[in-house]
Amino acid sequence: MVYRSVGLYRALGVLCLVVTLLVVWLGWQFEVAIRNALLITSLFFLAIACIYFHLGNEEARGAFL
């Protein structure tokens, strides 16, 4: 099994969270149809961020060992 750094998971989580906030912010600049599509897309980035944060917590606890 490969040990991955907890910092890597947290950095990727923060990166996805920043992308989520950027997509939401950009969504308010467009009309309604594009705004709704971007808000739905941002939910996928938010889910990925949550997954990375969860993996970081699991790795910190040593649950994968």
Side-chain angles (χ1 to χ4, degrees):
M1 174 160 256
V2 176
Y3 176 77
R4 291 179 179 85
S5 173
V6 176
L8 175 66
Y9 287 124
R10 291 183 180 158
L12 289 172
V14 168
L15 179 68
C16 287
L17 193 61
V18 168
V19 169
T20 300
L21 294 175
L22 183 65
V23 169
V24 168
W25 180 75
L26 286 174
W28 294 111
Q29 307 298 322
F30 294 104
E31 58 190 46
V32 176
I34 296 173
R35 180 184 312 155
N36 291 339
L38 287 174
L39 290 177
I40 291 170
T41 304
S42 71
L43 292 176
F44 292 112
F45 287 114
L46 183 62
I48 292 171
C50 291
I51 289 169
Y52 276 129
F53 286 132
H54 177 70
L55 286 173
N57 288 337
E58 291 292 317
E59 190 72 38
R61 283 190 325 158
F64 291 129
L65 296 177

Short mmCIF file of all heavy atoms in Angstrom, two decimals:
data_model
loop_
_atom_site.label_atom_id
_atom_site.label_comp_id
_atom_site.label_asym_id
_atom_site.label_seq_id
_atom_site.Cartn_x
_atom_site.Cartn_y
_atom_site.Cartn_z
N MET A 1 0.83 -1.18 0.00
CA MET A 1 0.00 0.00 0.00
C MET A 1 0.88 1.24 0.00
O MET A 1 1.90 1.29 0.66
CB MET A 1 -0.90 -0.02 1.22
CG MET A 1 -1.69 1.24 1.39
SD MET A 1 -3.09 0.98 2.44
CE MET A 1 -4.33 0.93 1.21
N VAL A 2 0.46 2.23 -0.73
CA VAL A 2 1.22 3.47 -0.86
C VAL A 2 0.68 4.47 0.15
O VAL A 2 -0.52 4.71 0.23
CB VAL A 2 1.08 4.03 -2.29
CG1 VAL A 2 1.78 5.36 -2.41
CG2 VAL A 2 1.61 3.03 -3.29
N TYR A 3 1.60 5.03 0.94
CA TYR A 3 1.20 6.08 1.88
C TYR A 3 1.26 7.42 1.16
O TYR A 3 2.27 7.79 0.59
CB TYR A 3 2.14 6.11 3.09
CG TYR A 3 1.83 7.24 4.04
CD1 TYR A 3 0.75 7.16 4.90
CD2 TYR A 3 2.60 8.38 4.04
CE1 TYR A 3 0.45 8.20 5.75
CE2 TYR A 3 2.31 9.43 4.89
CZ TYR A 3 1.23 9.32 5.74
OH TYR A 3 0.94 10.36 6.58
N ARG A 4 0.17 8.14 1.18
CA ARG A 4 0.11 9.46 0.58
C ARG A 4 0.05 10.51 1.68
O ARG A 4 -0.54 10.29 2.73
CB ARG A 4 -1.11 9.57 -0.33
CG ARG A 4 -0.97 8.71 -1.56
CD ARG A 4 -2.21 8.81 -2.43
NE ARG A 4 -2.06 7.99 -3.62
CZ ARG A 4 -2.35 6.70 -3.66
NH1 ARG A 4 -2.78 6.08 -2.61
NH2 ARG A 4 -2.20 6.04 -4.79
N SER A 5 0.62 11.62 1.42
CA SER A 5 0.66 12.69 2.40
C SER A 5 -0.73 13.27 2.64
O SER A 5 -1.51 13.42 1.70
CB SER A 5 1.60 13.79 1.90
OG SER A 5 1.54 14.91 2.74
N VAL A 6 -1.02 13.57 3.87
CA VAL A 6 -2.30 14.18 4.21
C VAL A 6 -2.39 15.56 3.58
O VAL A 6 -3.46 15.99 3.14
CB VAL A 6 -2.46 14.25 5.74
CG1 VAL A 6 -3.73 14.97 6.13
CG2 VAL A 6 -2.43 12.86 6.33
N GLY A 7 -1.26 16.24 3.49
CA GLY A 7 -1.24 17.57 2.90
C GLY A 7 -1.66 17.57 1.44
O GLY A 7 -2.25 18.53 0.95
N LEU A 8 -1.34 16.48 0.73
CA LEU A 8 -1.73 16.38 -0.67
C LEU A 8 -3.25 16.36 -0.80
O LEU A 8 -3.83 17.07 -1.62
CB LEU A 8 -1.14 15.13 -1.30
CG LEU A 8 -1.56 14.82 -2.73
CD1 LEU A 8 -1.03 15.89 -3.67
CD2 LEU A 8 -1.07 13.45 -3.13
N TYR A 9 -3.91 15.53 0.02
CA TYR A 9 -5.37 15.46 -0.03
C TYR A 9 -6.00 16.80 0.35
O TYR A 9 -6.97 17.23 -0.26
CB TYR A 9 -5.89 14.37 0.89
CG TYR A 9 -5.64 12.98 0.38
CD1 TYR A 9 -4.96 12.05 1.15
CD2 TYR A 9 -6.12 12.57 -0.87
CE1 TYR A 9 -4.74 10.76 0.69
CE2 TYR A 9 -5.90 11.30 -1.33
CZ TYR A 9 -5.21 10.39 -0.55
OH TYR A 9 -4.99 9.13 -1.01
N ARG A 10 -5.45 17.42 1.37
CA ARG A 10 -6.02 18.70 1.80
C ARG A 10 -5.79 19.80 0.78
O ARG A 10 -6.66 20.65 0.56
CB ARG A 10 -5.46 19.07 3.16
CG ARG A 10 -5.97 18.14 4.22
CD ARG A 10 -5.51 18.48 5.60
NE ARG A 10 -6.06 17.49 6.54
CZ ARG A 10 -5.55 17.26 7.71
NH1 ARG A 10 -4.50 17.93 8.13
NH2 ARG A 10 -6.11 16.35 8.50
N ALA A 11 -4.62 19.79 0.12
CA ALA A 11 -4.35 20.79 -0.91
C ALA A 11 -5.30 20.60 -2.10
O ALA A 11 -5.82 21.58 -2.65
CB ALA A 11 -2.90 20.70 -1.36
N LEU A 12 -5.51 19.35 -2.50
CA LEU A 12 -6.45 19.10 -3.59
C LEU A 12 -7.88 19.47 -3.19
O LEU A 12 -8.65 19.96 -4.01
CB LEU A 12 -6.37 17.64 -4.02
CG LEU A 12 -5.10 17.25 -4.76
CD1 LEU A 12 -5.05 15.73 -4.96
CD2 LEU A 12 -5.00 17.96 -6.08
N GLY A 13 -8.23 19.24 -1.93
CA GLY A 13 -9.55 19.63 -1.44
C GLY A 13 -9.75 21.14 -1.48
O GLY A 13 -10.79 21.63 -1.91
N VAL A 14 -8.73 21.87 -1.05
CA VAL A 14 -8.81 23.33 -1.07
C VAL A 14 -8.86 23.82 -2.51
O VAL A 14 -9.62 24.75 -2.83
CB VAL A 14 -7.62 23.95 -0.30
CG1 VAL A 14 -7.52 25.44 -0.54
CG2 VAL A 14 -7.75 23.66 1.18
N LEU A 15 -8.08 23.20 -3.39
CA LEU A 15 -8.10 23.59 -4.80
C LEU A 15 -9.49 23.40 -5.41
O LEU A 15 -10.00 24.29 -6.10
CB LEU A 15 -7.06 22.79 -5.59
CG LEU A 15 -6.99 23.08 -7.08
CD1 LEU A 15 -6.45 24.49 -7.31
CD2 LEU A 15 -6.13 22.05 -7.76
N CYS A 16 -10.11 22.26 -5.13
CA CYS A 16 -11.47 22.02 -5.66
C CYS A 16 -12.47 22.97 -5.02
O CYS A 16 -13.42 23.39 -5.69
CB CYS A 16 -11.87 20.57 -5.41
SG CYS A 16 -11.03 19.41 -6.49
N LEU A 17 -12.27 23.31 -3.77
CA LEU A 17 -13.16 24.26 -3.11
C LEU A 17 -13.04 25.65 -3.75
O LEU A 17 -14.04 26.33 -3.97
CB LEU A 17 -12.86 24.32 -1.62
CG LEU A 17 -13.88 25.00 -0.74
CD1 LEU A 17 -15.23 24.29 -0.82
CD2 LEU A 17 -13.39 25.02 0.69
N VAL A 18 -11.82 26.05 -4.07
CA VAL A 18 -11.61 27.34 -4.73
C VAL A 18 -12.24 27.34 -6.12
O VAL A 18 -12.87 28.32 -6.53
CB VAL A 18 -10.09 27.67 -4.80
CG1 VAL A 18 -9.82 28.83 -5.73
CG2 VAL A 18 -9.56 27.97 -3.42
N VAL A 19 -12.10 26.23 -6.85
CA VAL A 19 -12.72 26.12 -8.17
C VAL A 19 -14.24 26.20 -8.03
O VAL A 19 -14.92 26.85 -8.84
CB VAL A 19 -12.29 24.82 -8.87
CG1 VAL A 19 -13.11 24.56 -10.12
CG2 VAL A 19 -10.81 24.88 -9.23
N THR A 20 -14.78 25.58 -7.00
CA THR A 20 -16.23 25.65 -6.76
C THR A 20 -16.68 27.09 -6.55
O THR A 20 -17.65 27.54 -7.16
CB THR A 20 -16.61 24.81 -5.52
OG1 THR A 20 -16.24 23.46 -5.75
CG2 THR A 20 -18.09 24.90 -5.23
N LEU A 21 -15.97 27.79 -5.70
CA LEU A 21 -16.34 29.19 -5.44
C LEU A 21 -16.17 30.05 -6.68
O LEU A 21 -16.99 30.95 -6.94
CB LEU A 21 -15.50 29.74 -4.28
CG LEU A 21 -15.76 29.08 -2.93
CD1 LEU A 21 -14.77 29.62 -1.90
CD2 LEU A 21 -17.18 29.30 -2.48
N LEU A 22 -15.15 29.78 -7.47
CA LEU A 22 -14.94 30.53 -8.70
C LEU A 22 -16.06 30.29 -9.71
O LEU A 22 -16.57 31.22 -10.33
CB LEU A 22 -13.59 30.17 -9.32
CG LEU A 22 -13.19 30.91 -10.58
CD1 LEU A 22 -12.98 32.39 -10.26
CD2 LEU A 22 -11.94 30.31 -11.17
N VAL A 23 -16.48 29.03 -9.84
CA VAL A 23 -17.56 28.70 -10.77
C VAL A 23 -18.87 29.34 -10.30
O VAL A 23 -19.65 29.85 -11.11
CB VAL A 23 -17.69 27.18 -10.94
CG1 VAL A 23 -18.96 26.80 -11.68
CG2 VAL A 23 -16.47 26.62 -11.66
N VAL A 24 -19.13 29.32 -9.00
CA VAL A 24 -20.35 29.95 -8.48
C VAL A 24 -20.30 31.45 -8.72
O VAL A 24 -21.30 32.05 -9.14
CB VAL A 24 -20.52 29.63 -6.98
CG1 VAL A 24 -21.59 30.50 -6.36
CG2 VAL A 24 -20.85 28.17 -6.78
N TRP A 25 -19.15 32.05 -8.48
CA TRP A 25 -19.03 33.50 -8.70
C TRP A 25 -19.22 33.84 -10.17
O TRP A 25 -19.89 34.82 -10.50
CB TRP A 25 -17.68 33.98 -8.19
CG TRP A 25 -17.50 35.45 -8.38
CD1 TRP A 25 -18.06 36.44 -7.64
CD2 TRP A 25 -16.72 36.08 -9.39
NE1 TRP A 25 -17.67 37.67 -8.14
CE2 TRP A 25 -16.85 37.47 -9.20
CE3 TRP A 25 -15.92 35.62 -10.42
CZ2 TRP A 25 -16.21 38.38 -10.02
CZ3 TRP A 25 -15.28 36.53 -11.22
CH2 TRP A 25 -15.43 37.89 -11.03
N LEU A 26 -18.62 33.05 -11.06
CA LEU A 26 -18.79 33.29 -12.48
C LEU A 26 -20.23 33.04 -12.93
O LEU A 26 -20.70 33.66 -13.88
CB LEU A 26 -17.84 32.41 -13.30
CG LEU A 26 -16.38 32.82 -13.29
CD1 LEU A 26 -15.55 31.78 -14.02
CD2 LEU A 26 -16.20 34.18 -13.92
N GLY A 27 -20.91 32.13 -12.26
CA GLY A 27 -22.29 31.82 -12.63
C GLY A 27 -23.22 33.00 -12.47
O GLY A 27 -24.19 33.14 -13.22
N TRP A 28 -22.93 33.87 -11.51
CA TRP A 28 -23.81 35.03 -11.31
C TRP A 28 -23.60 36.10 -12.36
O TRP A 28 -24.37 37.06 -12.43
CB TRP A 28 -23.59 35.62 -9.92
CG TRP A 28 -24.02 34.69 -8.85
CD1 TRP A 28 -23.22 34.05 -7.97
CD2 TRP A 28 -25.35 34.25 -8.57
NE1 TRP A 28 -23.96 33.24 -7.15
CE2 TRP A 28 -25.27 33.34 -7.49
CE3 TRP A 28 -26.60 34.52 -9.12
CZ2 TRP A 28 -26.39 32.72 -6.96
CZ3 TRP A 28 -27.72 33.90 -8.60
CH2 TRP A 28 -27.61 33.02 -7.53
N GLN A 29 -22.59 35.95 -13.21
CA GLN A 29 -22.32 36.95 -14.24
C GLN A 29 -23.11 36.70 -15.53
O GLN A 29 -23.12 37.55 -16.41
CB GLN A 29 -20.81 36.96 -14.57
CG GLN A 29 -19.91 37.11 -13.38
CD GLN A 29 -20.11 38.42 -12.65
OE1 GLN A 29 -20.33 39.45 -13.27
NE2 GLN A 29 -20.03 38.36 -11.33
N PHE A 30 -23.73 35.53 -15.65
CA PHE A 30 -24.41 35.15 -16.88
C PHE A 30 -25.92 35.14 -16.68
O PHE A 30 -26.43 35.37 -15.60
CB PHE A 30 -23.94 33.76 -17.33
CG PHE A 30 -22.49 33.71 -17.73
CD1 PHE A 30 -21.55 33.14 -16.89
CD2 PHE A 30 -22.08 34.24 -18.94
CE1 PHE A 30 -20.22 33.09 -17.25
CE2 PHE A 30 -20.75 34.19 -19.31
CZ PHE A 30 -19.81 33.63 -18.46
N GLU A 31 -26.62 34.83 -17.76
CA GLU A 31 -28.07 34.77 -17.69
C GLU A 31 -28.51 33.47 -17.00
O GLU A 31 -27.69 32.63 -16.64
CB GLU A 31 -28.67 34.87 -19.09
CG GLU A 31 -28.18 33.79 -20.02
CD GLU A 31 -28.61 34.07 -21.45
OE1 GLU A 31 -28.47 35.21 -21.91
OE2 GLU A 31 -29.09 33.11 -22.07
N VAL A 32 -29.80 33.30 -16.84
CA VAL A 32 -30.35 32.27 -15.96
C VAL A 32 -29.98 30.85 -16.39
O VAL A 32 -29.59 30.04 -15.55
CB VAL A 32 -31.89 32.43 -15.87
CG1 VAL A 32 -32.49 31.32 -15.04
CG2 VAL A 32 -32.24 33.77 -15.28
N ALA A 33 -30.07 30.53 -17.65
CA ALA A 33 -29.80 29.16 -18.10
C ALA A 33 -28.35 28.77 -17.86
O ALA A 33 -28.06 27.68 -17.34
CB ALA A 33 -30.15 29.02 -19.57
N ILE A 34 -27.43 29.67 -18.21
CA ILE A 34 -26.01 29.38 -18.00
C ILE A 34 -25.70 29.37 -16.51
O ILE A 34 -24.91 28.56 -16.03
CB ILE A 34 -25.15 30.41 -18.75
CG1 ILE A 34 -25.38 30.27 -20.24
CG2 ILE A 34 -23.68 30.23 -18.42
CD1 ILE A 34 -24.72 31.33 -21.08
N ARG A 35 -26.33 30.27 -15.75
CA ARG A 35 -26.12 30.32 -14.30
C ARG A 35 -26.53 29.01 -13.64
O ARG A 35 -25.79 28.47 -12.81
CB ARG A 35 -26.94 31.46 -13.70
CG ARG A 35 -26.77 31.59 -12.21
CD ARG A 35 -27.66 32.67 -11.63
NE ARG A 35 -27.55 33.90 -12.41
CZ ARG A 35 -28.51 34.81 -12.46
NH1 ARG A 35 -29.62 34.65 -11.79
NH2 ARG A 35 -28.34 35.90 -13.18
N ASN A 36 -27.68 28.47 -14.03
CA ASN A 36 -28.12 27.20 -13.46
C ASN A 36 -27.19 26.06 -13.82
O ASN A 36 -26.89 25.20 -12.98
CB ASN A 36 -29.54 26.89 -13.91
CG ASN A 36 -30.55 27.82 -13.30
OD1 ASN A 36 -30.30 28.44 -12.28
ND2 ASN A 36 -31.70 27.95 -13.94
N ALA A 37 -26.71 26.04 -15.05
CA ALA A 37 -25.78 24.98 -15.47
C ALA A 37 -24.47 25.07 -14.69
O ALA A 37 -23.92 24.04 -14.25
CB ALA A 37 -25.51 25.09 -16.96
N LEU A 38 -23.97 26.27 -14.48
CA LEU A 38 -22.73 26.43 -13.73
C LEU A 38 -22.91 26.09 -12.25
O LEU A 38 -22.00 25.54 -11.62
CB LEU A 38 -22.18 27.85 -13.89
CG LEU A 38 -21.57 28.16 -15.26
CD1 LEU A 38 -21.19 29.63 -15.34
CD2 LEU A 38 -20.37 27.29 -15.52
N LEU A 39 -24.06 26.41 -11.70
CA LEU A 39 -24.30 26.06 -10.30
C LEU A 39 -24.40 24.55 -10.11
O LEU A 39 -23.90 24.00 -9.12
CB LEU A 39 -25.57 26.75 -9.79
CG LEU A 39 -25.46 28.26 -9.63
CD1 LEU A 39 -26.80 28.85 -9.20
CD2 LEU A 39 -24.38 28.63 -8.64
N ILE A 40 -25.01 23.87 -11.06
CA ILE A 40 -25.06 22.41 -11.00
C ILE A 40 -23.67 21.82 -11.16
O ILE A 40 -23.29 20.88 -10.45
CB ILE A 40 -26.04 21.86 -12.05
CG1 ILE A 40 -27.47 22.24 -11.67
CG2 ILE A 40 -25.91 20.35 -12.20
CD1 ILE A 40 -28.49 21.97 -12.74
N THR A 41 -22.87 22.38 -12.06
CA THR A 41 -21.49 21.92 -12.25
C THR A 41 -20.67 22.15 -10.98
O THR A 41 -19.82 21.32 -10.64
CB THR A 41 -20.85 22.66 -13.44
OG1 THR A 41 -21.67 22.47 -14.59
CG2 THR A 41 -19.46 22.16 -13.71
N SER A 42 -20.92 23.23 -10.29
CA SER A 42 -20.15 23.51 -9.07
C SER A 42 -20.44 22.48 -7.99
O SER A 42 -19.58 22.25 -7.12
CB SER A 42 -20.46 24.92 -8.57
OG SER A 42 -21.77 24.99 -8.04
N LEU A 43 -21.60 21.85 -8.03
CA LEU A 43 -21.89 20.80 -7.05
C LEU A 43 -20.95 19.60 -7.22
O LEU A 43 -20.58 18.96 -6.23
CB LEU A 43 -23.35 20.36 -7.17
CG LEU A 43 -24.38 21.38 -6.74
CD1 LEU A 43 -25.79 20.85 -7.01
CD2 LEU A 43 -24.21 21.75 -5.29
N PHE A 44 -20.57 19.30 -8.45
CA PHE A 44 -19.63 18.22 -8.68
C PHE A 44 -18.25 18.55 -8.10
O PHE A 44 -17.61 17.70 -7.48
CB PHE A 44 -19.51 17.91 -10.17
CG PHE A 44 -20.76 17.32 -10.75
CD1 PHE A 44 -21.51 18.04 -11.65
CD2 PHE A 44 -21.19 16.06 -10.38
CE1 PHE A 44 -22.67 17.51 -12.19
CE2 PHE A 44 -22.35 15.52 -10.90
CZ PHE A 44 -23.09 16.24 -11.81
N PHE A 45 -17.80 19.79 -8.29
CA PHE A 45 -16.52 20.20 -7.71
C PHE A 45 -16.59 20.20 -6.19
O PHE A 45 -15.62 19.84 -5.51
CB PHE A 45 -16.11 21.58 -8.21
CG PHE A 45 -15.64 21.58 -9.64
CD1 PHE A 45 -16.36 22.25 -10.60
CD2 PHE A 45 -14.49 20.92 -10.01
CE1 PHE A 45 -15.95 22.26 -11.92
CE2 PHE A 45 -14.06 20.92 -11.32
CZ PHE A 45 -14.79 21.60 -12.28
N LEU A 46 -17.73 20.57 -5.63
CA LEU A 46 -17.89 20.55 -4.18
C LEU A 46 -17.85 19.12 -3.66
O LEU A 46 -17.24 18.85 -2.62
CB LEU A 46 -19.21 21.22 -3.79
CG LEU A 46 -19.49 21.33 -2.30
CD1 LEU A 46 -18.42 22.17 -1.62
CD2 LEU A 46 -20.86 21.93 -2.07
N ALA A 47 -18.45 18.19 -4.38
CA ALA A 47 -18.40 16.78 -3.97
C ALA A 47 -16.97 16.25 -4.01
O ALA A 47 -16.55 15.53 -3.11
CB ALA A 47 -19.31 15.95 -4.87
N ILE A 48 -16.23 16.62 -5.05
CA ILE A 48 -14.84 16.18 -5.15
C ILE A 48 -14.02 16.76 -4.00
O ILE A 48 -13.18 16.07 -3.41
CB ILE A 48 -14.25 16.58 -6.51
CG1 ILE A 48 -14.93 15.77 -7.62
CG2 ILE A 48 -12.75 16.37 -6.55
CD1 ILE A 48 -14.58 16.24 -9.02
N ALA A 49 -14.25 18.02 -3.65
CA ALA A 49 -13.54 18.63 -2.52
C ALA A 49 -13.85 17.89 -1.22
O ALA A 49 -12.95 17.61 -0.44
CB ALA A 49 -13.92 20.10 -2.40
N CYS A 50 -15.11 17.55 -1.01
CA CYS A 50 -15.48 16.81 0.20
C CYS A 50 -14.83 15.44 0.24
O CYS A 50 -14.40 14.97 1.30
CB CYS A 50 -17.00 16.69 0.30
SG CYS A 50 -17.82 18.25 0.63
N ILE A 51 -14.74 14.80 -0.91
CA ILE A 51 -14.10 13.48 -0.98
C ILE A 51 -12.62 13.59 -0.62
O ILE A 51 -12.09 12.77 0.14
CB ILE A 51 -14.30 12.86 -2.37
CG1 ILE A 51 -15.75 12.44 -2.54
CG2 ILE A 51 -13.37 11.67 -2.59
CD1 ILE A 51 -16.12 12.06 -3.96
N TYR A 52 -11.94 14.61 -1.14
CA TYR A 52 -10.53 14.77 -0.82
C TYR A 52 -10.33 15.08 0.66
O TYR A 52 -9.39 14.58 1.29
CB TYR A 52 -9.89 15.86 -1.66
CG TYR A 52 -9.44 15.39 -3.02
CD1 TYR A 52 -9.80 16.06 -4.17
CD2 TYR A 52 -8.65 14.25 -3.16
CE1 TYR A 52 -9.40 15.63 -5.42
CE2 TYR A 52 -8.24 13.81 -4.39
CZ TYR A 52 -8.62 14.49 -5.52
OH TYR A 52 -8.21 14.06 -6.74
N PHE A 53 -11.19 15.91 1.25
CA PHE A 53 -11.08 16.18 2.68
C PHE A 53 -11.31 14.90 3.50
O PHE A 53 -10.63 14.65 4.49
CB PHE A 53 -12.05 17.27 3.12
CG PHE A 53 -11.64 18.64 2.68
CD1 PHE A 53 -12.54 19.49 2.07
CD2 PHE A 53 -10.35 19.11 2.87
CE1 PHE A 53 -12.18 20.75 1.66
CE2 PHE A 53 -9.97 20.38 2.47
CZ PHE A 53 -10.89 21.20 1.86
N HIS A 54 -12.27 14.09 3.07
CA HIS A 54 -12.53 12.84 3.77
C HIS A 54 -11.34 11.89 3.65
O HIS A 54 -10.94 11.25 4.63
CB HIS A 54 -13.79 12.18 3.20
CG HIS A 54 -14.09 10.85 3.79
ND1 HIS A 54 -14.53 10.70 5.08
CD2 HIS A 54 -14.00 9.59 3.29
CE1 HIS A 54 -14.70 9.42 5.35
NE2 HIS A 54 -14.38 8.72 4.27
N LEU A 55 -10.75 11.78 2.47
CA LEU A 55 -9.58 10.92 2.29
C LEU A 55 -8.41 11.40 3.13
O LEU A 55 -7.66 10.59 3.69
CB LEU A 55 -9.18 10.88 0.81
CG LEU A 55 -10.06 10.05 -0.10
CD1 LEU A 55 -9.63 10.24 -1.55
CD2 LEU A 55 -10.01 8.59 0.28
N GLY A 56 -8.24 12.71 3.26
CA GLY A 56 -7.19 13.24 4.11
C GLY A 56 -7.40 12.88 5.57
O GLY A 56 -6.44 12.52 6.27
N ASN A 57 -8.65 12.94 6.03
CA ASN A 57 -8.93 12.56 7.41
C ASN A 57 -8.72 11.06 7.63
O ASN A 57 -8.19 10.65 8.65
CB ASN A 57 -10.38 12.94 7.78
CG ASN A 57 -10.55 14.42 7.93
OD1 ASN A 57 -9.59 15.14 8.18
ND2 ASN A 57 -11.76 14.88 7.75
N GLU A 58 -9.11 10.25 6.66
CA GLU A 58 -8.90 8.80 6.78
C GLU A 58 -7.42 8.45 6.79
O GLU A 58 -6.99 7.58 7.53
CB GLU A 58 -9.60 8.07 5.63
CG GLU A 58 -11.10 8.12 5.69
CD GLU A 58 -11.67 7.33 6.85
OE1 GLU A 58 -11.19 6.21 7.09
OE2 GLU A 58 -12.57 7.85 7.52
N GLU A 59 -6.65 9.14 5.97
CA GLU A 59 -5.22 8.88 5.92
C GLU A 59 -4.55 9.33 7.22
O GLU A 59 -3.63 8.69 7.71
CB GLU A 59 -4.60 9.61 4.72
CG GLU A 59 -3.19 9.22 4.41
CD GLU A 59 -3.06 7.85 3.81
OE1 GLU A 59 -3.91 7.47 3.01
OE2 GLU A 59 -2.09 7.15 4.15
N ALA A 60 -5.02 10.44 7.79
CA ALA A 60 -4.45 10.94 9.05
C ALA A 60 -4.75 9.98 10.20
O ALA A 60 -3.92 9.81 11.09
CB ALA A 60 -5.01 12.32 9.35
N ARG A 61 -5.90 9.35 10.16
CA ARG A 61 -6.25 8.40 11.22
C ARG A 61 -5.56 7.05 11.02
O ARG A 61 -5.52 6.25 11.93
CB ARG A 61 -7.76 8.14 11.23
CG ARG A 61 -8.56 9.22 11.84
CD ARG A 61 -10.00 8.82 12.05
NE ARG A 61 -10.48 7.95 10.97
CZ ARG A 61 -11.50 7.14 11.08
NH1 ARG A 61 -12.15 7.06 12.22
NH2 ARG A 61 -11.89 6.41 10.08
N GLY A 62 -5.05 6.82 9.83
CA GLY A 62 -4.41 5.55 9.55
C GLY A 62 -5.41 4.46 9.24
O GLY A 62 -5.15 3.27 9.45
N ALA A 63 -6.57 4.84 8.73
CA ALA A 63 -7.64 3.87 8.47
C ALA A 63 -7.30 2.97 7.31
O ALA A 63 -7.89 1.89 7.16
CB ALA A 63 -8.95 4.60 8.21
N PHE A 64 -6.38 3.38 6.45
CA PHE A 64 -6.04 2.57 5.29
C PHE A 64 -5.01 1.49 5.60
O PHE A 64 -4.68 0.69 4.76
CB PHE A 64 -5.52 3.44 4.14
CG PHE A 64 -6.59 4.31 3.54
CD1 PHE A 64 -6.37 5.67 3.38
CD2 PHE A 64 -7.79 3.80 3.15
CE1 PHE A 64 -7.35 6.48 2.82
CE2 PHE A 64 -8.78 4.59 2.60
CZ PHE A 64 -8.55 5.93 2.43
N LEU A 65 -4.45 1.52 6.78
CA LEU A 65 -3.38 0.56 7.10
C LEU A 65 -3.91 -0.75 7.51
O LEU A 65 -4.73 -1.21 7.96
CB LEU A 65 -2.48 1.14 8.19
CG LEU A 65 -1.74 2.40 7.78
CD1 LEU A 65 -0.95 2.94 8.96
CD2 LEU A 65 -0.82 2.12 6.63
#
